[in-house]
Amino acid sequence: MKPIDVLAMAKEKGVKVVDLRFMDFPGVWQHFSVPIRELEESSFEEGFGFDGSSIRGWQPINASDMLVIPDASTAKIDPFFEIPTLVLICDIVDPTTLQPYSRDPRYVAKKVESYLKTTGIGDTLYIGPEAEFFIFDDVRFESSQNRAFYELDSIEGAWNTGRDEGPNQGYKPRYKEGYFPVPPMDKFQDLRTEMLLTLEELGIDIEAQHHEVASGGQAEIDMRFKPLLEMGDQLAWFKYVLKNVAYKHGHTVTFMPKPLFGDNGSGMHTHVSIWKEGKPLFAGDKYAGVSQQALYAIGGILKHCKALCAFTNPTTNSYKRLVPGFEAPVNLAYSSRNRSAAIRIPMYSSSPKAKRIEFRTPDPSCNGYLAFSAISMAVLDGIQNKMDPGDPLDKNIYDLPPEEMANVPSAPGSLEESLAALKADHEFLMKGDVFTQDVIDMWIDYKIDAEINPVKLRPHPHEFSLYFDI
C-alpha cells in the first residue's frame, strides 16, 4: 500500500484520527494520535515529532527531539477504538541527520533482511513464533520500601477448588494438566476464538488456538509464519489484540514468562527457515529430512545461545522458567521429535516447505524485532562458518544419568549471566551493521540498571518464610 492508497482507505472508512505507533527499546508498543487532516502524502517522508527522552533507553534530555515516519504498508483500522482510527506503524528518525535511529528495534529487523540478501544465502527469513500467555481474572501487586506482594486469580485456577463461588462447579484444570480438555474444564474457548477472529480481521493469519499446560488460564494462539519484519509488526499487534479482547471481557492477559509457582511457564517456541527465489533451503537429505544448511543454522544457534538469551529471554522472570530439570528446554541440544531439546526439527509434515528449525528456549516477554533479529543473525553465522551442531540427542534429556548430562551444555541461569555472555559474544550480531555497539551497550546497561539491580536490592517475600526466625 502506498501513501495515496492509505489516504483513500482512510476516506473510505470514515477515519477521523490517526494513531502513530512504534516499539520502544525494551519492547512495549507506544503511540500518539493526530487528527486525520494532519496526515498528508508528505507525512510519509517528513514524519511527526515527539520527545525521545521520555522513551526508555533512548535519547538524553538535551537531544530529545525525534521523528516518527509512518510506514504506509502497515496501515490498519484499529478494532477497539470507538472513533474510526487508522493505525500506522512508524520508523524512528533523527530530525537533524534524517538518518534511521540505531536503537529503533524495527530498524534492526529491517537491516537483518537487507543483510541476508547481501550474503547470497537467501532472500527471505521466515519466522513463526508460538507465544504462550496467561488469562487471569484479577492481578494485584506492590513493591515498596516495607511491603511487597503479588496475588493472581483465575476462575480456572486449581487453587480455587475449595473456594465458595456460589456455587463452585469444579472443572478447574489440575496443575500441569491444562493441555487440553474441552469445556467446561476449558473456560476460555470463546474468548480465544474472539482473539483469533480479531487477528484474522486485521489480516494476521492464525493456524490454531488452544489451552496450554498450566492451570489458571494458560493459552496459545499460533500465527502462520511470515517474513521477519512483518512478523515483528504482527507480534506487536498480537499482544495488543489479546490484551484488549481480554480487557473488554473483564480479564487480563500477561506475557510474563513465569507468573505462577509450581506450574508451567510461558514460552515462545520460534520457528525459523530461509528461502531463496521461492524455494525452501532447509529441506534436504540429512538428519530428520533437513539440509546441511539447516544443520549449520542449528550449530549457529547452539554456539551463540547464551548471548541470544539476552534478547530472547530478556527479563529476570524469564529465568524462573529456564530451570534445569523442569519443563523448559534449557539443554543446548537438537532433536527431531524430542521436546526436551532446545532446538527441535518438527516432523508434522514431509513437505519441503514445512522444513524449519524450532528454537524452544525464547519466551514472549521479548521485543520481537530484536529477538527475531538476533536469532536470525546466529542462524546466518552458523551457515557462513559451517558450524557443526554435533550429533542429535534423541533421548529424553531429563532421564539422562548425571555423567551424560554433564556433557550437555545449558542455557544461562539468569539475566545477568546472559548479559555477560552477550558482552563477550556479540560480533556475529554486528555483521552488516545490523546491531551496533551502541545498541549492545545500551541494552546491557539498561537491563542492569533498570531491572537486575532493582530486583537484587529488594528482599524477596519467600525469604521471610525462610529466614525471619533466624
Side-chain angles (χ1 to χ4, degrees):
M1 188 177 293
K2 297 178 180 178
I4 193 171
D5 301 319
V6 174
L7 296 175
M9 181 179 85
K11 185 176 181 180
E12 178 189 345
K13 301 291 186 180
V15 166
K16 297 184 182 302
V17 174
V18 181
D19 205 46
L20 303 164
R21 299 187 186 176
F22 59 93
M23 187 68 73
D24 73 6
F25 204 45
V28 174
W29 231 9
Q30 309 290 329
H31 79 131
F32 65 94
S33 302
V34 300
I36 185 62
R37 60 177 164 73
E38 293 292 317
L39 186 70
E40 302 173 346
E41 279 194 71
S42 60
S43 303
F44 294 88
E45 294 182 0
E46 297 173 0
F48 298 85
F50 74 103
D51 177 7
S53 68
S54 296
I55 304 299
R56 298 176 298 172
W58 278 11
Q59 294 293 86
I61 197 165
N62 62 306
S64 60
D65 290 351
M66 304 194 80
L67 292 174
V68 293
I69 307 295
D71 183 339
S73 69
T74 66
K76 296 183 188 297
I77 303 298
D78 189 278
F80 302 106
F81 293 161
E82 182 179 347
I83 304 300
T85 301
L86 174 71
V87 175
L88 291 166
I89 298 177
C90 301
D91 298 309
I92 310 302
V93 165
D94 184 299
T96 55
T97 66
L98 299 181
Q99 293 300 305
Y101 184 48
S102 65
R103 295 181 207 164
D104 176 7
R106 195 168 190 263
Y107 178 47
V108 174
K110 281 187 168 185
K111 287 191 286 184
V112 176
E113 292 190 327
S114 297
Y115 174 65
L116 170 65
K117 293 173 183 175
T118 69
T119 66
I121 293 171
D123 51 42
T124 308
L125 265 160
Y126 282 115
I127 303 290
E130 300 175 7
E132 297 169 346
F133 56 97
F134 278 88
I135 304 165
F136 291 122
D137 301 326
D138 189 56
V139 53
R140 296 186 296 126
F141 53 87
E142 181 181 330
S143 179
S144 57
Q145 191 169 24
N146 70 321
R147 174 181 166 92
F149 80 94
Y150 71 89
E151 186 171 340
L152 305 168
D153 209 358
S154 170
I155 187 64
E156 277 198 355
W159 57 88
N160 281 325
T161 55
R163 183 173 68 176
D164 183 0
E165 296 180 347
N168 189 324
Q169 296 175 309
Y171 298 118
K172 304 188 189 295
R174 288 178 286 271
Y175 295 109
K176 297 183 179 293
E177 292 189 24
Y179 191 89
F180 29 44
V182 298
M185 190 71 84
D186 178 359
K187 305 290 190 297
F188 296 119
Q189 169 68 17
D190 287 342
L191 187 70
R192 294 192 309 269
T193 294
E194 183 175 339
M195 293 169 175
L196 179 159
L197 293 176
T198 304
L199 289 164
E200 288 262 331
E201 288 167 5
L202 287 164
I204 297 172
D205 297 329
I206 302 299
E207 293 184 335
Q209 63 94 341
H210 58 82
H211 204 289
E212 256 299 339
V213 173
S215 182
Q218 192 184 31
E220 177 176 315
I221 298 176
D222 297 334
M223 291 180 280
R224 183 170 175 78
F225 65 90
K226 287 290 187 290
L228 189 156
L229 179 64
E230 185 177 351
M231 184 52 74
D233 291 344
Q234 285 194 179
L235 184 61
W237 271 110
F238 180 87
K239 290 183 176 184
Y240 175 77
V241 166
L242 269 56
K243 289 175 182 179
N244 278 279
V245 170
Y247 185 76
K248 182 172 71 171
H249 291 280
H251 303 288
T252 184
V253 157
T254 181
F255 293 92
M256 185 177 176
K258 190 72 172 179
L260 296 179
F261 167 69
D263 213 334
N264 280 37
S266 292
M268 189 179 74
H269 306 155
T270 302
H271 300 253
V272 183
S273 64
I274 299 178
W275 290 47
K276 186 174 185 177
E277 297 176 354
K279 296 180 181 180
L281 301 184
F282 280 7
D285 59 359
K286 304 297 181 183
Y287 172 78
V290 300
S291 65
Q292 184 63 62
Q293 278 185 316
L295 292 177
Y296 290 148
I298 291 170
I301 293 178
L302 294 178
K303 176 178 173 58
H304 298 299
C305 183
K306 291 180 184 292
L308 289 180
C309 286
F311 292 109
T312 62
N313 305 81
T315 68
T316 58
N317 184 256
S318 296
Y319 299 88
K320 302 293 194 297
R321 168 182 171 260
L322 292 182
V323 178
F326 291 86
E327 80 277 1
V330 300
N331 300 288
L332 304 186
Y334 73 101
S335 179
S336 58
R337 300 174 67 183
N338 187 348
R339 292 172 184 261
S340 61
I343 297 178
R344 190 172 73 96
I345 301 170
M347 300 299 289
Y348 297 123
S349 172
S350 59
S351 169
K353 294 182 178 180
K355 281 300 172 187
R356 74 270 193 196
I357 59 177
E358 177 190 0
F359 185 27
R360 298 175 61 80
T361 305
D363 71 56
S365 69
C366 69
N367 182 328
Y369 296 112
L370 296 181
F372 300 152
S373 295
I375 294 169
S376 299
M377 292 302 287
V379 162
L380 293 174
D381 193 52
I383 294 172
Q384 289 167 324
N385 291 289
K386 299 183 178 180
M387 294 180 182
D388 183 1
D391 295 328
L393 192 57
D394 289 329
K395 304 175 184 178
N396 185 335
I397 295 175
Y398 302 131
D399 291 339
L400 290 179
E403 58 272 18
E404 285 191 59
M405 272 300 299
N407 297 320
V408 181
S410 181
S414 68
L415 178 58
E416 195 167 18
E417 186 181 339
S418 69
L419 292 173
L422 176 63
K423 191 170 185 177
D425 176 27
H426 58 260
E427 288 186 7
F428 73 100
L429 295 170
M430 298 175 68
K431 292 181 178 180
D433 200 38
V434 171
F435 284 78
T436 61
Q437 192 66 52
D438 168 69
V439 168
I440 300 293
D441 291 344
M442 179 53 74
W443 187 260
I444 293 172
D445 291 345
Y446 176 83
K447 288 290 174 179
I448 291 173
D449 293 342
E451 299 177 26
I452 290 176
N453 286 343
V455 171
K456 270 186 177 182
L457 291 169
R458 284 166 169 78
H460 189 286
H462 192 61
E463 289 177 320
F464 287 84
S465 301
L466 295 172
Y467 309 127
F468 186 77
D469 61 340
I470 287 177

